[in-house]
Amino acid sequence: MTALWNEIPRHGKWLTALLLLVFIAAPLVVDRYLLSVLVLVLYFAYLGQAWNLLMGFAGQLSLGHALYLGLGAYTATTLWLLFGIGPWIGVFVAIAVAAAAGLIVGWLGWRFGVEGVYFALLTIAFAEFTRIGFDHLGLTGASGGLFLPVSPTAHDWWNLNGGVHLFYYVALILAIAATLLAAWLRQSPLGYRWLAVREDPEAAQAVGINVFRVRMIAMLISAGMTAVGGVFYGFYYRNLFPSQIFDISRSIELILGPIIGGLGTIFGPIVGAIILTPVGESLTTFMQSSGLNVPGAKSIFYGIILMIIISLRPSGVWPWLAKHLRLDRPKS
Amino acid sequence: MLTVDNLSVFYGDAQALDDVSLAVEAGTIVAIVGANGAGKTSLIRTIGGMIKPATGRIRFRDQEIAGWPSHLVCNLGIGQVAEGRQVFPSLTVAENLDMGAMLPRARANRARNRQRVEAMFPKLSERLGQAAGTLSGGEQQMLAIGRCLMGEPELIMFDEPSLGLAPSIVHDVLKAIRDLNASGMTCVLVEQNVAVSLKIANRAYVLENGRVTLSGTGAELLADERVRQAYLGL
């Protein structure tokens, strides 16, 4: 870890410290609304890191990460509601459930040679099955939804119940931890195996890499991390509907950040979330204040932004930005 | 060192190898020649553990390895230099080389093997920090061979190592293979360049439609009328 830090050029260290300071101090300055937007920025940065491990590092496209998000959210909230098990303990069960689901998807796909687009379709199918299943699961309120009690004045960090400040700092810690984990994994032997498998699975096999196992580990970590995001979602919004949490738009919105920021980079998911979320939120605000009611406008808007950025910066914003800030690693 | 007995391989209904048998003795170069689609690559990939055979036996030293997964086959000491210079393009030369040293059998000796490989291919050691995709075709082939050597193989299977390379580079690649062999490495060579591969081979097999139709020493096959007609155009 210290070696990683030493690799960053001096002004990069200052910029990183400054960014951290801005995020830590933001709640002192900004109002509640802006802070709630920043919560989303951090939340999407976190989920982007989780998804980027699988796609950006190991090269496997999942369009069904809503599955792990939803399983995580439902597991922890149900444990809390029915058994009084707090989210800080429930999160481990949530991770285990989502990771197990990830292993099933990965096993079915990679064991039987389902690759590329077909694998992506498989991931969508699993999220959809699960959505339909939860629509009929009485334990969690079926399609009518699951609700956690709301108490605006609570300051109960142990039960993840409180104001936006609490969730802001939880999201900040999650985003920082995910980024550190991604950076550490990237330079670990496992990270290099992921890159080898991403670049050329056959060549990876020829150098003795167990392609199946390496992909399964990526899936395990990515699904587990996404489940933590789901726990956060469940306790932050305090209501869950299968038609929302398992919806394909959840899967899509969490992959836009890393794609726009830069696939397979450490800071890409953060940069993507910083660009995309405020833009999306201001569109929503604008639509509301101007009285326009166009369902799906946000999706169209995201689509347009995605097209523009992909055509201008095909490998994402971060590699370009890093070059201009002279933060890219010098190729010796 | 390596013996293949009565090996048959299918892709769905299509038979790629039909009752193939061959033997590779330690320290030799064995050439496998044949037209496109004769089953040469299927043979290498089956020995390497990437394709499971329907029937037949593959023995390496004292182990029966037919059907083993590729990462275990690699770790026994059977290296592969796959067709088409499969380097990892966006990784650096150094990273590519280190990727070859991730095998449990070779992990501990990484530094020593790096020195050896760099001494063998000085051009690579000048470009360690460069992305492998920016190397020339010949340099990529050297990198693929160097990466394979990082895994300390006892036998290397080369699949079309001269494919798509300029004639002078082909010469370099074949010289590298001969040098390796001179230092004791056992080599299996699949080459479209039949004349050259028969010249350097101790033993050779001709594959046609998945079957071995002819075998003998390199010199014998070079002199064989059928080989001269079919593959050398004489």
Side-chain angles (χ1 to χ4, degrees), chain A residues 25-208:
Chain A
L28 304 174
V29 186
V30 304
D31 64 12
R32 280 179 88 77
Y33 169 70
L34 263 180
L35 198 61
S36 72
V37 174
L38 286 178
V39 169
L40 284 181
V41 169
L42 294 167
Y43 167 77
F44 281 117
Y46 172 81
L47 289 178
Q49 293 288 13
W51 181 81
N52 191 40
L53 288 184
L54 187 61
M55 177 64 201
F57 290 2
Q60 293 297 302
L61 175 60
S62 165
L63 294 177
H65 259 45
L67 171 64
Y68 317 119
L69 194 71
L71 285 177
Y74 267 108
T75 304
T77 50
T78 310
L79 282 176
W80 189 81
L81 271 179
L82 296 186
F83 305 104
I85 297 170
W88 298 95
I89 295 167
V91 68
F92 293 103
V93 185
I95 291 171
V97 170
L103 290 185
I104 293 172
V105 175
W107 183 80
L108 274 176
W110 300 320
R111 195 37 110 202
F112 301 101
V114 180
E115 302 264 340
V117 178
Y118 302 101
F119 178 75
L121 288 176
L122 184 75
T123 62
I124 296 178
F126 265 87
E128 288 293 296
F129 291 154
T130 315
R131 177 179 65 78
I132 295 165
F134 270 82
D135 265 339
H136 300 278
L137 188 64
L139 182 73
T140 59
S143 57
L146 178 151
F147 301 90
L148 298 184
V150 180
S151 41
T153 55
H155 284 290
D156 185 1
W157 66 272
W158 176 249
N159 288 308
L160 267 188
N161 190 6
V164 68
H165 284 75
L166 169 70
F167 287 97
Y168 177 82
Y169 282 112
V170 171
L172 180 60
I173 290 166
L174 284 179
I176 292 171
T179 305
L180 291 175
L181 180 68
W184 178 74
L185 284 170
R186 166 67 180 76
Q187 52 78 59
S188 71
L190 175 63
Y192 276 109
R193 287 192 178 91
W194 282 342
L195 297 189
V197 169
R198 178 193 75 189
E199 303 251 309
D200 192 332
E202 291 207 351
Q205 241 184 338
V207 297

Side-chain angles (χ1 to χ4, degrees), chain A residues 189 192-193 195-196 198-200 202-203 205-208 210 331-332, chain B residues 45 50 70-71 74 86 88-91 95 99 102-103 107 129 147:
Chain A
Y192 276 109
R193 287 192 178 91
L195 297 189
R198 178 193 75 189
E199 303 251 309
D200 192 332
E202 291 207 351
Q205 241 184 338
V207 297
N210 186 341
K331 296 268 180 202
S332 53
Chain B
R45 290 172 59 86
M50 289 147 149
S70 56
H71 62 278
C74 270
Q86 292 179 328
F88 303 115
S90 77
L91 302 188
E95 287 168 340
M99 209 66 88
M102 288 205 174
L103 285 175
R107 217 173 278 160
R147 188 182 61 191

